[in-house]
Amino acid sequence: VQLQASGGGFVQAGGSLRLSCAASGRTISGYAMSWFRQAPGEEHEFVAAIGRSDAVTYYTDSVKGRFTISRDDAKNMVYLQMNSLKPEDTALYYCAAGGRMTTTWRTHDCWGQGTLVTVSS
């Protein structure tokens, strides 16, 4: 499956953005889907994951209550709604697909190109 993230941009602290991840090549219904981010000079950081059934979600502590991950298998899309953004959320955001829910970047099966989110103070 090929993944392409979009929706990034420049926003002031406290603002909102909605990231989208478009999948092609095969359906995402058989995958757990995740979002990661990478700030300059840092490793990939897990942000959120959603299981094959969208009843199961998991977030890193720093985004709980502010970010929401969702999926629409009929459209082959995954989303990340980001509210109350903070300057420390500034990063390249990537979507990833894997056979099971995991917070580790390298254990996913495929990754998309990132979309840049910049949050000003």
Side-chain angles (χ1 to χ4, degrees), residues 72-113:
D72 186 338
D73 288 358
K75 295 181 178 179
N76 238 19
M77 296 287 295
V78 181
Y79 306 99
L80 185 68
Q81 178 66 44
M82 306 187 297
N83 300 326
S84 301
L85 283 160
K86 304 175 181 181
E88 51 264 43
D89 294 319
T90 295
L92 267 172
Y93 282 72
Y94 300 86
C95 56
R100 58 183 178 88
M101 288 182 69
T102 172
T103 61
T104 306
W105 172 259
R106 292 180 181 84
T107 59
H108 286 72
D109 296 329
C110 51
W111 310 262
Q113 291 184 333

Short mmCIF file of all heavy atoms in Angstrom, two decimals, residues 72-113:
data_model
loop_
_atom_site.label_atom_id
_atom_site.label_comp_id
_atom_site.label_asym_id
_atom_site.label_seq_id
_atom_site.Cartn_x
_atom_site.Cartn_y
_atom_site.Cartn_z
N ASP A 72 -11.47 5.95 7.51
CA ASP A 72 -12.62 5.70 6.66
C ASP A 72 -12.15 4.68 5.62
O ASP A 72 -11.56 5.03 4.59
CB ASP A 72 -13.10 6.99 5.99
CG ASP A 72 -14.36 6.82 5.20
OD1 ASP A 72 -14.67 5.66 4.80
OD2 ASP A 72 -15.05 7.82 4.96
N ASP A 73 -12.39 3.41 5.93
CA ASP A 73 -11.90 2.36 5.04
C ASP A 73 -12.55 2.42 3.67
O ASP A 73 -11.93 2.04 2.66
CB ASP A 73 -12.12 0.99 5.68
CG ASP A 73 -11.19 0.74 6.85
OD1 ASP A 73 -10.34 1.60 7.14
OD2 ASP A 73 -11.31 -0.34 7.48
N ALA A 74 -13.79 2.87 3.59
CA ALA A 74 -14.48 2.96 2.30
C ALA A 74 -13.77 3.94 1.37
O ALA A 74 -13.76 3.76 0.15
CB ALA A 74 -15.93 3.37 2.50
N LYS A 75 -13.17 4.98 1.96
CA LYS A 75 -12.44 5.98 1.18
C LYS A 75 -10.94 5.72 1.17
O LYS A 75 -10.19 6.46 0.55
CB LYS A 75 -12.72 7.38 1.73
CG LYS A 75 -14.17 7.82 1.58
CD LYS A 75 -14.37 9.24 2.11
CE LYS A 75 -15.81 9.70 1.91
NZ LYS A 75 -16.03 11.07 2.45
N ASN A 76 -10.52 4.70 1.92
CA ASN A 76 -9.09 4.39 2.04
C ASN A 76 -8.31 5.58 2.60
O ASN A 76 -7.23 5.93 2.09
CB ASN A 76 -8.50 3.95 0.70
CG ASN A 76 -7.87 2.57 0.77
OD1 ASN A 76 -8.16 1.78 1.68
ND2 ASN A 76 -7.00 2.27 -0.18
N MET A 77 -8.87 6.17 3.65
CA MET A 77 -8.30 7.38 4.23
C MET A 77 -8.14 7.23 5.73
O MET A 77 -8.92 6.54 6.40
CB MET A 77 -9.20 8.58 3.96
CG MET A 77 -9.36 8.95 2.50
SD MET A 77 -7.90 9.71 1.79
CE MET A 77 -7.81 11.24 2.72
N VAL A 78 -7.12 7.91 6.25
CA VAL A 78 -6.91 8.03 7.69
C VAL A 78 -6.72 9.51 7.99
O VAL A 78 -6.14 10.24 7.18
CB VAL A 78 -5.67 7.23 8.14
CG1 VAL A 78 -5.49 7.34 9.66
CG2 VAL A 78 -5.80 5.77 7.74
N TYR A 79 -7.21 9.94 9.15
CA TYR A 79 -7.17 11.35 9.49
C TYR A 79 -6.55 11.55 10.88
O TYR A 79 -6.59 10.65 11.73
CB TYR A 79 -8.58 11.94 9.49
CG TYR A 79 -9.33 11.71 8.20
CD1 TYR A 79 -10.26 10.68 8.09
CD2 TYR A 79 -9.11 12.54 7.10
CE1 TYR A 79 -10.94 10.47 6.90
CE2 TYR A 79 -9.80 12.33 5.91
CZ TYR A 79 -10.70 11.29 5.82
OH TYR A 79 -11.38 11.08 4.64
N LEU A 80 -6.02 12.74 11.06
CA LEU A 80 -5.56 13.15 12.39
C LEU A 80 -6.05 14.57 12.62
O LEU A 80 -5.54 15.51 12.00
CB LEU A 80 -4.04 13.08 12.51
CG LEU A 80 -3.50 13.37 13.92
CD1 LEU A 80 -3.89 12.25 14.89
CD2 LEU A 80 -1.97 13.54 13.90
N GLN A 81 -7.07 14.71 13.46
CA GLN A 81 -7.58 16.02 13.84
C GLN A 81 -6.74 16.52 15.00
O GLN A 81 -6.66 15.86 16.05
CB GLN A 81 -9.05 15.93 14.25
CG GLN A 81 -9.64 17.25 14.72
CD GLN A 81 -9.71 18.28 13.61
OE1 GLN A 81 -10.12 17.97 12.50
NE2 GLN A 81 -9.32 19.52 13.92
N MET A 82 -6.13 17.68 14.81
CA MET A 82 -5.23 18.23 15.83
C MET A 82 -5.79 19.57 16.31
O MET A 82 -5.89 20.52 15.53
CB MET A 82 -3.83 18.43 15.24
CG MET A 82 -3.24 17.16 14.62
SD MET A 82 -1.52 17.35 14.12
CE MET A 82 -1.70 18.62 12.87
N ASN A 83 -6.14 19.63 17.57
CA ASN A 83 -6.67 20.84 18.18
C ASN A 83 -5.72 21.34 19.27
O ASN A 83 -4.85 20.60 19.73
CB ASN A 83 -8.05 20.56 18.79
CG ASN A 83 -9.06 20.10 17.77
OD1 ASN A 83 -9.04 20.54 16.61
ND2 ASN A 83 -9.98 19.23 18.19
N SER A 84 -5.91 22.59 19.66
CA SER A 84 -5.09 23.20 20.72
C SER A 84 -3.61 22.98 20.45
O SER A 84 -2.85 22.56 21.34
CB SER A 84 -5.48 22.61 22.08
OG SER A 84 -6.85 22.83 22.35
N LEU A 85 -3.19 23.27 19.25
CA LEU A 85 -1.82 23.00 18.87
C LEU A 85 -0.84 23.86 19.65
O LEU A 85 -1.13 25.01 20.01
CB LEU A 85 -1.63 23.23 17.36
CG LEU A 85 -2.18 22.08 16.49
CD1 LEU A 85 -2.41 22.54 15.06
CD2 LEU A 85 -1.23 20.90 16.53
N LYS A 86 0.32 23.27 19.90
CA LYS A 86 1.39 23.92 20.65
C LYS A 86 2.65 24.00 19.79
O LYS A 86 2.83 23.19 18.88
CB LYS A 86 1.70 23.12 21.91
CG LYS A 86 0.51 22.88 22.81
CD LYS A 86 0.88 21.97 23.98
CE LYS A 86 -0.31 21.72 24.88
NZ LYS A 86 0.05 20.84 26.04
N PRO A 87 3.53 24.94 20.08
CA PRO A 87 4.78 25.01 19.30
C PRO A 87 5.56 23.70 19.30
O PRO A 87 6.18 23.37 18.28
CB PRO A 87 5.55 26.13 20.02
CG PRO A 87 4.48 27.01 20.57
CD PRO A 87 3.39 26.07 21.00
N GLU A 88 5.48 22.95 20.37
CA GLU A 88 6.21 21.67 20.43
C GLU A 88 5.59 20.59 19.54
O GLU A 88 6.15 19.51 19.41
CB GLU A 88 6.32 21.17 21.87
CG GLU A 88 5.01 21.13 22.63
CD GLU A 88 4.80 22.37 23.49
OE1 GLU A 88 5.07 23.50 23.01
OE2 GLU A 88 4.33 22.20 24.64
N ASP A 89 4.44 20.88 18.93
CA ASP A 89 3.86 19.96 17.96
C ASP A 89 4.47 20.14 16.57
O ASP A 89 4.18 19.37 15.66
CB ASP A 89 2.34 20.15 17.87
CG ASP A 89 1.62 19.79 19.15
OD1 ASP A 89 1.97 18.76 19.77
OD2 ASP A 89 0.69 20.53 19.52
N THR A 90 5.30 21.15 16.40
CA THR A 90 5.94 21.40 15.11
C THR A 90 6.80 20.22 14.70
O THR A 90 7.67 19.78 15.44
CB THR A 90 6.79 22.67 15.19
OG1 THR A 90 5.94 23.80 15.40
CG2 THR A 90 7.58 22.87 13.90
N ALA A 91 6.53 19.68 13.51
CA ALA A 91 7.25 18.50 13.02
C ALA A 91 6.74 18.11 11.64
O ALA A 91 5.72 18.63 11.18
CB ALA A 91 7.05 17.31 13.98
N LEU A 92 7.47 17.19 11.02
CA LEU A 92 6.95 16.49 9.85
C LEU A 92 6.09 15.34 10.35
O LEU A 92 6.54 14.56 11.20
CB LEU A 92 8.11 15.94 9.02
CG LEU A 92 8.65 16.79 7.87
CD1 LEU A 92 9.91 16.16 7.31
CD2 LEU A 92 7.61 16.99 6.79
N TYR A 93 4.89 15.23 9.84
CA TYR A 93 3.96 14.20 10.28
C TYR A 93 3.83 13.14 9.17
O TYR A 93 3.63 13.49 8.00
CB TYR A 93 2.60 14.79 10.60
CG TYR A 93 2.56 15.47 11.95
CD1 TYR A 93 3.21 16.68 12.16
CD2 TYR A 93 1.89 14.90 13.03
CE1 TYR A 93 3.20 17.31 13.39
CE2 TYR A 93 1.87 15.51 14.27
CZ TYR A 93 2.53 16.72 14.45
OH TYR A 93 2.52 17.33 15.68
N TYR A 94 3.93 11.88 9.59
CA TYR A 94 3.88 10.76 8.67
C TYR A 94 2.76 9.80 9.06
O TYR A 94 2.51 9.59 10.25
CB TYR A 94 5.19 9.97 8.72
CG TYR A 94 6.43 10.72 8.35
CD1 TYR A 94 7.12 11.48 9.31
CD2 TYR A 94 6.95 10.66 7.06
CE1 TYR A 94 8.28 12.16 8.98
CE2 TYR A 94 8.11 11.34 6.73
CZ TYR A 94 8.76 12.08 7.69
OH TYR A 94 9.92 12.75 7.35
N CYS A 95 2.14 9.19 8.08
CA CYS A 95 1.25 8.08 8.38
C CYS A 95 1.96 6.77 8.04
O CYS A 95 2.86 6.74 7.21
CB CYS A 95 -0.08 8.18 7.62
SG CYS A 95 0.08 8.32 5.84
N ALA A 96 1.54 5.71 8.70
CA ALA A 96 2.17 4.41 8.53
C ALA A 96 1.13 3.32 8.68
O ALA A 96 0.12 3.50 9.37
CB ALA A 96 3.29 4.22 9.55
N ALA A 97 1.38 2.18 8.06
CA ALA A 97 0.47 1.04 8.11
C ALA A 97 1.21 -0.18 8.62
O ALA A 97 2.38 -0.40 8.29
CB ALA A 97 -0.11 0.77 6.74
N GLY A 98 0.52 -0.97 9.43
CA GLY A 98 1.14 -2.17 9.95
C GLY A 98 0.12 -3.26 10.20
O GLY A 98 -1.07 -3.01 10.24
N GLY A 99 0.62 -4.47 10.39
CA GLY A 99 -0.27 -5.60 10.62
C GLY A 99 -0.92 -5.58 11.99
O GLY A 99 -1.95 -6.23 12.20
N ARG A 100 -0.32 -4.86 12.92
CA ARG A 100 -0.89 -4.75 14.26
C ARG A 100 -0.57 -3.37 14.81
O ARG A 100 0.30 -2.68 14.29
CB ARG A 100 -0.31 -5.82 15.18
CG ARG A 100 1.21 -5.76 15.29
CD ARG A 100 1.75 -6.90 16.15
NE ARG A 100 3.21 -6.86 16.24
CZ ARG A 100 3.87 -6.17 17.15
NH1 ARG A 100 3.21 -5.47 18.06
NH2 ARG A 100 5.19 -6.19 17.19
N MET A 101 -1.27 -2.99 15.86
CA MET A 101 -1.00 -1.71 16.48
C MET A 101 0.35 -1.74 17.18
O MET A 101 0.63 -2.63 17.97
CB MET A 101 -2.10 -1.34 17.48
CG MET A 101 -3.41 -0.94 16.84
SD MET A 101 -4.65 -0.45 18.04
CE MET A 101 -3.96 1.09 18.64
N THR A 102 1.19 -0.78 16.86
CA THR A 102 2.50 -0.70 17.47
C THR A 102 2.93 0.76 17.50
O THR A 102 2.54 1.54 16.64
CB THR A 102 3.54 -1.54 16.69
OG1 THR A 102 4.85 -1.28 17.21
CG2 THR A 102 3.53 -1.20 15.21
N THR A 103 3.74 1.11 18.48
CA THR A 103 4.23 2.48 18.60
C THR A 103 5.63 2.64 18.03
O THR A 103 6.24 3.69 18.16
CB THR A 103 4.23 2.91 20.07
OG1 THR A 103 5.11 2.05 20.81
CG2 THR A 103 2.84 2.83 20.67
N THR A 104 6.17 1.60 17.42
CA THR A 104 7.55 1.61 16.91
C THR A 104 7.56 1.84 15.41
O THR A 104 6.93 1.10 14.65
CB THR A 104 8.26 0.28 17.24
OG1 THR A 104 8.18 0.03 18.64
CG2 THR A 104 9.73 0.34 16.82
N TRP A 105 8.29 2.85 15.00
CA TRP A 105 8.34 3.24 13.59
C TRP A 105 8.76 2.07 12.69
O TRP A 105 8.12 1.79 11.68
CB TRP A 105 9.33 4.40 13.45
CG TRP A 105 9.66 4.83 12.06
CD1 TRP A 105 10.79 4.52 11.37
CD2 TRP A 105 8.88 5.67 11.21
NE1 TRP A 105 10.74 5.12 10.12
CE2 TRP A 105 9.60 5.83 10.00
CE3 TRP A 105 7.64 6.32 11.35
CZ2 TRP A 105 9.12 6.59 8.94
CZ3 TRP A 105 7.17 7.07 10.28
CH2 TRP A 105 7.90 7.21 9.11
N ARG A 106 9.82 1.38 13.06
CA ARG A 106 10.42 0.39 12.16
C ARG A 106 9.58 -0.88 12.02
O ARG A 106 9.80 -1.66 11.10
CB ARG A 106 11.83 0.03 12.64
CG ARG A 106 12.81 1.18 12.50
CD ARG A 106 14.20 0.79 12.98
NE ARG A 106 15.15 1.89 12.86
CZ ARG A 106 15.28 2.84 13.78
NH1 ARG A 106 14.53 2.82 14.85
NH2 ARG A 106 16.16 3.80 13.60
N THR A 107 8.64 -1.12 12.92
CA THR A 107 7.86 -2.35 12.84
C THR A 107 6.63 -2.21 11.94
O THR A 107 5.89 -3.17 11.78
CB THR A 107 7.42 -2.80 14.24
OG1 THR A 107 6.62 -1.78 14.84
CG2 THR A 107 8.63 -3.11 15.11
N HIS A 108 6.43 -1.04 11.36
CA HIS A 108 5.33 -0.90 10.41
C HIS A 108 5.73 -1.46 9.05
O HIS A 108 6.91 -1.66 8.76
CB HIS A 108 4.93 0.58 10.29
CG HIS A 108 4.17 1.08 11.47
ND1 HIS A 108 4.76 1.29 12.70
CD2 HIS A 108 2.86 1.36 11.63
CE1 HIS A 108 3.84 1.70 13.55
NE2 HIS A 108 2.68 1.76 12.94
N ASP A 109 4.75 -1.73 8.23
CA ASP A 109 5.00 -2.33 6.92
C ASP A 109 5.30 -1.29 5.85
O ASP A 109 6.04 -1.56 4.89
CB ASP A 109 3.79 -3.16 6.49
CG ASP A 109 3.55 -4.35 7.42
OD1 ASP A 109 4.54 -4.87 7.97
OD2 ASP A 109 2.38 -4.74 7.60
N CYS A 110 4.71 -0.12 5.96
CA CYS A 110 4.95 0.93 4.97
C CYS A 110 4.68 2.29 5.59
O CYS A 110 3.93 2.40 6.56
CB CYS A 110 4.11 0.71 3.72
SG CYS A 110 2.37 0.45 4.05
N TRP A 111 5.28 3.28 4.99
CA TRP A 111 5.23 4.65 5.49
C TRP A 111 5.01 5.60 4.32
O TRP A 111 5.44 5.33 3.19
CB TRP A 111 6.55 5.04 6.16
CG TRP A 111 7.03 4.05 7.17
CD1 TRP A 111 6.87 4.11 8.52
CD2 TRP A 111 7.76 2.83 6.94
NE1 TRP A 111 7.46 3.03 9.14
CE2 TRP A 111 8.01 2.22 8.20
CE3 TRP A 111 8.22 2.21 5.79
CZ2 TRP A 111 8.70 1.01 8.34
CZ3 TRP A 111 8.90 0.99 5.93
CH2 TRP A 111 9.12 0.41 7.17
N GLY A 112 4.33 6.71 4.58
CA GLY A 112 4.14 7.70 3.55
C GLY A 112 5.12 8.84 3.68
O GLY A 112 5.88 8.91 4.65
N GLN A 113 5.10 9.74 2.73
CA GLN A 113 5.88 10.97 2.82
C GLN A 113 5.21 11.89 3.83
O GLN A 113 4.01 11.82 4.05
CB GLN A 113 5.97 11.65 1.46
CG GLN A 113 6.81 10.88 0.46
CD GLN A 113 6.98 11.62 -0.85
OE1 GLN A 113 6.15 12.42 -1.24
NE2 GLN A 113 8.09 11.39 -1.54
#
